[in-house]
Amino acid sequence: MAATKAYAAQTAQSPMAPWSLDRREPTPHDVEIDILYCGVCHSDLHTVRNEWGGTVYPAVPGHEIVGRVTKVGDHVKRFKVGDLAAVGCLVDSCRECANCKQGLEQYCLVGMVGTYNGKDKYNGGVTYGGYSKQIVVTEDFVLTVSGKQPLEGIAPLLCAGITTYSPLRYWKVGKGTKVGVLGLGGLGHMGVKLAASFGAEVTMLSHSPSKEADAKRLGAHNFVLTKDESQVAKMNGYFDFILDTVSAEHDYNLYLNLLGTNGTMVCVGAPPTPAQIPAFNLIFGRRSIGGSLIGGIPETQEMLDYCAANNIVSDVEVIDIKDINEAYERMLKGDVKYRFVIDMATL
Ligand code: NAP
Ligand code: ZN
Ligand code: ZN
């Protein structure tokens, strides 16, 4: 075991503050990584404040990790000391169930191991995430990244990137698809970039008037201010697909009505409050509502390679770790362009 500096929340009410945790000595299949950058996902905030329930304290979030390999076990094949490496939202799964065998580890039937607040098979207790100096992860769950793009812009691809890439691919969004991306935050801005790069017609659905110019710069063809009823009403029946990335309670029915016949709305945003959806809003127009969780390891690698080949990175504001509590407050106000990323050299 090696002591590693970290930032943790000790209770749902306490701010993030310095803490020390133990990482396991690498086993023959493990990769030890010095973390260089870690993105700040809204799920980190939901978790440390126990908004979904089930958080175990101390809680160390962070699942958008990019770093450099410092040690490898004897059986590790794909990494050597000094290589760049990345870790996303998963650090393990059963590897044997039908879903794991298809590379859908995020839907592991036994239960995937989240990068934080997951069940730690090695140390007991829960897993600790990327707001720390080092992490040790089994090779099969470590991703490779290109050294050609800025590392701080790659980090958010590990959650915001794959969480939007996966449903856009699964629902075959591309040329000829009219897509609405709801919410312009970390996930939303990646949703816009990726959907536009796949050739879709992209409309940003945002409740923040100040984000219109950015939405268009990121690749959106249209902008609809969701606070303006007349703008929203004009889009009734317009979309083939809506990607809902909103983190807070909102009315799903308003957006279901924007779907055309056979349209699908996929929720990736995970507000803690349940939604009420009358069956009639689905029955008329044979509309569907679905969900999607991050992405499996093969698809995450595919997304990283796609972004490297197409020069796609996240738009980030790099912060010192001591400013993480302020960053959370700014994220709640929608004041982030469009992902905070922690420079781990400041820990
Ligand atoms: P974020 O950066 O905070 O973005 C959320 C966006 O939602 C905001 O920028 C804002 O966009 C909109 N929004 C916020 N409050 C709103 C309100 N009261 N009414 C309407 N719109 C509001 O968060 P994120 O990191 O992208 O994460 C978004 C959600 O996805 C979170 O719930 C997170 O836990 C979840 N998530 C899910 C997965 C998954 O696998 N499914 C993975 C990662 C994250 P506008 O200002 O443009 O309206
Ligand atoms: Zn996340
Ligand atoms: Zn499994």
Side-chain angles (χ1 to χ4, degrees):
M1 297 273 224
T4 303
K5 281 205 234 172
Y7 253 54
Q10 299 294 333
T11 70
Q13 288 74 37
S14 54
M16 299 297 297
W19 190 56
S20 174
L21 59 88
D22 289 324
R23 293 294 186 197
R24 65 178 181 267
E25 272 306 312
T27 70
H29 294 282
D30 280 339
V31 178
E32 183 190 80
I33 300 164
D34 253 358
I35 301 175
L36 298 172
Y37 292 102
C38 183
V40 178
C41 178
H42 208 114
S43 302
D44 303 355
L45 177 53
H46 289 309
T47 301
V48 297
R49 298 193 179 171
N50 201 22
E51 291 175 356
W52 292 327
T55 302
V56 176
Y57 294 93
V60 178
H63 56 204
E64 294 182 336
I65 298 168
V66 174
R68 210 169 272 289
V69 174
T70 48
K71 216 185 258 185
V72 292
D74 289 345
H75 296 308
V76 169
K77 291 190 180 69
R78 293 185 299 121
F79 295 93
K80 58 180 187 325
V81 171
D83 284 351
L84 290 171
V87 179
C89 306
L90 298 168
V91 288
D92 216 336
S93 70
C94 86
R95 306 170 194 220
E96 284 169 2
C97 73
N99 287 348
C100 284
K101 284 204 165 127
Q102 290 180 70
L104 296 171
E105 298 89 351
Q106 76 275 36
Y107 305 122
C108 174
L109 298 170
V110 179
M112 55 97 163
V113 181
T115 303
Y116 57 78
N117 208 48
K119 202 169 167 206
D120 191 325
K121 288 184 190 173
Y122 301 85
N123 289 2
V126 291
T127 51
Y128 298 123
Y131 295 13
S132 58
K133 275 285 194 199
Q134 276 195 330
I135 193 163
V136 178
V137 178
T138 187
E139 178 182 19
D140 292 346
F141 286 73
V142 181
L143 290 308
T144 58
V145 292
S146 145
K148 293 192 190 115
Q149 293 170 293
L151 296 179
E152 62 274 27
I154 293 177
L157 302 181
L158 276 304
C159 176
I162 185 59
T163 301
T164 49
Y165 183 93
S166 185
L168 291 171
R169 285 297 199 210
Y170 183 78
W171 274 277
K172 300 189 168 46
V173 168
K175 211 167 164 34
T177 318
K178 288 181 183 150
V179 180
V181 176
L182 178 58
L184 185 50
L187 267 55
H189 94 290
M190 289 312 307
V192 169
K193 285 190 187 206
L194 291 167
S197 82
F198 298 162
E201 184 208 274
V202 183
T203 301
M204 185 70 233
L205 302 162
S206 169
H207 83 314
S208 306
S210 62
K211 295 182 183 173
E212 179 165 359
D214 277 347
K216 292 193 171 153
R217 177 180 57 77
L218 294 164
H221 305 92
N222 311 304
F223 183 90
V224 171
L225 183 62
T226 55
K227 284 195 287 200
D228 180 339
E229 281 176 26
S230 68
Q231 284 192 36
V232 175
K234 276 193 206 143
M235 306 308 282
N236 274 343
Y238 186 77
F239 294 106
D240 302 308
F241 185 84
I242 294 177
L243 187 66
D244 179 349
T245 75
V246 172
S247 52
E249 187 174 1
H250 58 291
D251 184 5
Y252 290 81
N253 298 294
L254 186 67
Y255 305 104
L256 281 173
N257 285 329
L258 306 190
L259 291 174
T261 310
N262 301 324
T264 300
M265 172 158 124
V266 170
C267 301
V268 286
T273 37
Q276 285 220 333
I277 297 163
F280 282 109
N281 282 350
L282 301 170
I283 291 170
F284 282 92
R286 192 160 59 188
R287 297 169 177 139
S288 308
I289 188 162
S292 184
L293 177 68
I294 49 172
I297 295 298
E299 195 176 38
T300 304
Q301 190 63 60
E302 176 190 305
M303 177 276 311
L304 288 168
D305 297 345
Y306 175 84
C307 288
N310 291 278
N311 201 21
I312 295 172
V313 285
S314 180
D315 286 24
V316 303
E317 179 177 337
V318 176
I319 59 166
D320 289 3
I321 196 150
K322 68 173 171 41
D323 297 326
I324 185 65
N325 295 301
E326 191 195 329
Y328 281 171
E329 293 312 314
R330 285 182 54 196
M331 184 157 68
L332 283 171
K333 284 191 244 153
D335 175 22
V336 46
K337 289 184 171 177
Y338 277 90
R339 196 56 137 189
F340 290 116
V341 172
I342 307 166
D343 177 355
M344 270 320 148
T346 63
L347 175 61

